[in-house]
């Protein structure tokens, strides 16, 4: 069966602006400022502004944004950082590369977001930061995060890798905490033509420290004041991202419209056991992914469900099939199977449906028809 509805289609996004992107790349070639060049500085400032903060510091990827960002906030060895068990492994890698101690906690079964009650219970004298993940494109409640952080004198560092320009309660992703990490992996809501990431912050001292850390620990050339690394966003990637940034709002709106169409069409299938992950932030949700649960109420199991979709030409994904605490390389952290029942239940039940700007209503209808025939 040929693919009728792909999981994602980046060409739809790039073709209409291809000449603009090519021109932006050409300009970098002509200037030759490939490392820490003009387009990087411009994109850093434009992206930070879009997030509602002053400073943006481009890095090589989202994983580095978390690792270096935490270090720039003064978090490292001996410090505990609280994060959800159901996230992409990069969140956990970021904490470990920062040298800090990750404390995994449970998530809410309906939104799949960090459970702040569970987070509060995990706080110890060593806890320095909360690391909420704005999973699938929806913010963890900024008001509740700030209440918890204030009550225990904690920093908030956001993993906003899936939440470019998402907002909730009047706050934009990246402006909730002291700093935030973004990823520009190609399929993210704002994606490069390769890897890329950024730390955004309102704090000038953190921004300065970040610029040093990403550039060999050198506040000025050939003067190395600390152990840094080489993690910079390429100027060419920044030029591409800067060209794409003005379209991001429209792309997010298109994703939201697709999600609303899915929501409406899937509503009657609730009784058959198909339950979308709950949106608690209205149009502030940027739907990096549209995720449903194939619950126990369904007539078939998830593997059969996905096979049925595939047989009808519809691609789907799972984000993510195994929670962080059960990943084979991380068992030494000491967590056990059964410790986070919601996170483990979600891994078993979730399926991500096709979602991208340019996805047609008729395609969404095809997907839902396929789901109907699968669960009937
Ligand atoms: C993509 C992603 C990252 C990591 O970004 P990279 O650029 O791939 O290193 C971190 N956290 C989450 C939640 C992500 O989705």
């Amino acid at each position: 069966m040929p693919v009728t509805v792909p999981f994602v289609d980046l060409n739809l996004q790039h073709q209409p602006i291809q000449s603009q992107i090519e021109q932006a790349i050409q300009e970098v070639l002509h200037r030759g400022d490939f490392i820490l060049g003009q387009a990087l500085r411009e994109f850093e400032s434009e992206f930070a502004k879009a997030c509602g903060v002053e400073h943006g510091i481009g890095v090589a990827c989202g994983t580095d944004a978390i690792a270096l960002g935490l270090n720039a906030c003064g978090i490292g060895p001996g410090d505990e950082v609280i994060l959800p068990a159901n996230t992409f492994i990069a969140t956990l890698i970021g904490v470990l590369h920062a040298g800090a101690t990750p404390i995994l906690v449970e998530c809410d079964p309906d939104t799949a977001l960090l459970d702040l009650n569970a987070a509060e219970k995990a706080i110890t004298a060593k806890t320095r930061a909360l690391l909420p993940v704005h999973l699938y494109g929806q913010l963890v409640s900024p008001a509740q995060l700030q209440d918890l952080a204030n009550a225990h004198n904690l920093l908030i560092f956001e993993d906003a890798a899936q939440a470019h320009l998402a907002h909730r309660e009047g706050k934009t992703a990246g402006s909730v905490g002291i700093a935030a990490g973004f990823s520009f992996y190609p399929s993210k809501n704002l994606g490069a033509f390769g890897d890329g990431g950024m730390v955004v912050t309102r704090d000038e001292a953190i921004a300065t420290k970040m610029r040093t850390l990403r550039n060999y620990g050198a506040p000025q050339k050939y003067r190395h004041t600390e152990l840094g690394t080489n993690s910079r966003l390429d100027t060419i990637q920044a030029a591409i991202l800067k060209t794409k940034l003005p379209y991001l709002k429209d792309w997010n709106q298109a994703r939201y419209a697709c999600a609303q169409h899915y929501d409406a069409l899937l509503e009657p299938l609730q009784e058959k056991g198909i339950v979308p992950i709950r949106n608690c932030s209205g149009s502030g949700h940027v739907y990096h992914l549209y995720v449903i649960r194939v619950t126990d109420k369904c007539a078939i199991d998830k593997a059969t469900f996905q096979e049925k979709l595939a047989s009808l030409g519809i691609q789907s994904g799972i984000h993510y099939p195994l929670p962080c605490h059960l990943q084979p390389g991380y068992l030494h952290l000491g967590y056990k199977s059964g410790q986070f029942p919601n996170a483990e239940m979600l891994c078993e039940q979730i399926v991500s449906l096709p979602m991208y700007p340019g996805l047609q209503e008729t395609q969404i209808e095809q997907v839902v028809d396929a789901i109907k025939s699968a669960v009937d």
Side-chain angles (χ1 to χ4, degrees):
M1 180 76 199
V3 174
T4 50
V5 190
F7 185 66
V8 61
D9 186 345
L10 297 177
N11 274 336
L12 284 178
Q13 211 177 62
H14 294 140
Q15 259 160 12
I17 57 169
Q18 188 174 331
S19 64
Q20 270 178 283
I21 292 175
E22 282 170 1
Q23 196 189 329
I25 294 171
Q26 282 299 331
E27 281 170 25
V28 179
L29 296 188
H30 284 306
R31 274 199 303 272
D33 56 350
F34 300 111
I35 303 295
L36 299 178
Q38 180 183 323
L40 176 62
R41 286 191 298 279
E42 290 169 356
F43 175 61
E44 287 175 333
S45 116
E46 287 166 24
F47 187 73
K49 194 169 166 216
C51 297
V53 298
E54 284 76 30
H55 311 283
I57 305 92
V59 292
C61 60
T63 310
D64 282 359
I66 297 167
L68 299 175
L70 287 171
N71 283 159
C73 293
I75 295 164
D79 297 329
E80 291 181 356
V81 174
I82 293 175
L83 69 155
N86 65 321
T87 180
F88 182 51
I89 198 71
T91 319
L92 176 56
I93 293 175
V95 175
L96 290 166
H97 278 185
T101 305
I103 304 295
L104 297 174
V105 301
E106 181 64 298
C107 63
D108 181 281
D110 298 319
T111 62
L113 297 174
L114 179 67
D115 176 341
L116 291 174
N117 292 320
E120 180 157 37
K121 291 201 187 90
I123 293 170
T124 71
K126 289 182 179 168
T127 309
R128 285 288 311 284
L130 301 171
L131 206 177
V133 179
H134 302 321
L135 199 68
Y136 307 148
Q138 168 164 229
L139 265 69
V140 179
S141 166
Q144 288 175 30
L145 270 172
Q146 282 165 344
D147 283 350
L148 182 58
N150 291 342
H152 298 272
N153 198 22
L154 304 176
L155 298 176
I156 299 168
F157 187 97
E158 302 160 70
D159 181 341
Q162 301 188 358
H164 314 71
L165 300 191
H167 54 91
R168 183 170 178 179
E169 299 158 5
K171 297 268 186 197
T172 304
S175 72
V176 178
I178 186 74
F182 284 88
S183 165
F184 303 118
Y185 181 84
S187 62
K188 302 286 159 123
N189 288 38
L190 181 62
F193 289 3
D195 279 310
M198 191 176 289
V199 171
V200 302
T201 178
R202 64 181 83 258
D203 186 296
E204 180 152 13
I206 290 171
T208 303
K209 175 107 175 166
M210 260 311 296
R211 288 183 204 286
T212 303
L213 287 175
R214 72 165 173 188
N215 195 34
Y216 318 111
Q220 67 207 64
K221 203 164 192 184
Y222 302 137
R223 188 176 161 75
H224 305 277
T225 53
E226 61 198 306
L227 177 61
T229 188
N230 176 353
S231 180
R232 299 163 302 210
L233 178 60
D234 286 340
T235 308
I236 282 187
Q237 298 298 348
I240 293 162
L241 290 162
K242 179 178 139 70
T243 308
K244 292 178 71 173
L245 180 58
Y247 302 96
L248 178 57
K249 215 174 154 186
D250 286 348
W251 289 335
N252 282 344
Q253 273 169 6
R255 287 173 182 272
Y256 183 69
C258 290
Q260 283 193 302
H261 203 51
Y262 270 127
D263 282 347
L265 295 176
L266 288 171
E267 170 69 34
L269 296 183
Q270 295 252 357
E271 61 183 30
K272 302 256 184 199
I274 297 294
V275 182
I277 294 296
R278 185 184 293 166
N279 173 13
C280 296
S281 40
S283 59
H285 196 321
V286 296
Y287 284 99
H288 173 58
L289 294 167
Y290 187 90
V291 178
I292 59 167
R293 285 167 53 200
V294 178
T295 65
D296 294 340
K297 240 179 123 180
C298 278
I300 52 167
D301 65 30
K302 188 167 83 174
T304 318
F305 176 89
Q306 282 193 284
E307 277 165 28
K308 175 79 187 173
L309 262 55
S311 75
L312 294 165
I314 291 154
Q315 294 182 330
S316 61
I318 304 176
H319 301 86
Y320 299 91
L322 194 63
C324 290
H325 67 290
L326 302 180
Q327 291 291 347
Y330 296 81
L331 298 177
H332 63 90
L333 295 175
Y335 297 95
K336 296 278 174 292
S337 177
Q339 196 166 346
F340 304 117
N342 295 341
E344 291 169 33
M345 172 278 288
L346 284 172
C347 288
E348 273 165 30
Q349 296 189 349
I350 49 178
V351 174
S352 309
L353 301 179
M355 169 55 76
Y356 46 89
L359 178 66
Q360 300 295 309
E361 287 202 358
T362 51
Q363 292 179 301
I364 294 171
E365 285 152 18
Q366 270 177 282
V367 174
V368 176
D369 284 344
I371 295 175
K372 270 189 197 138
S373 66
V375 298
D376 249 353

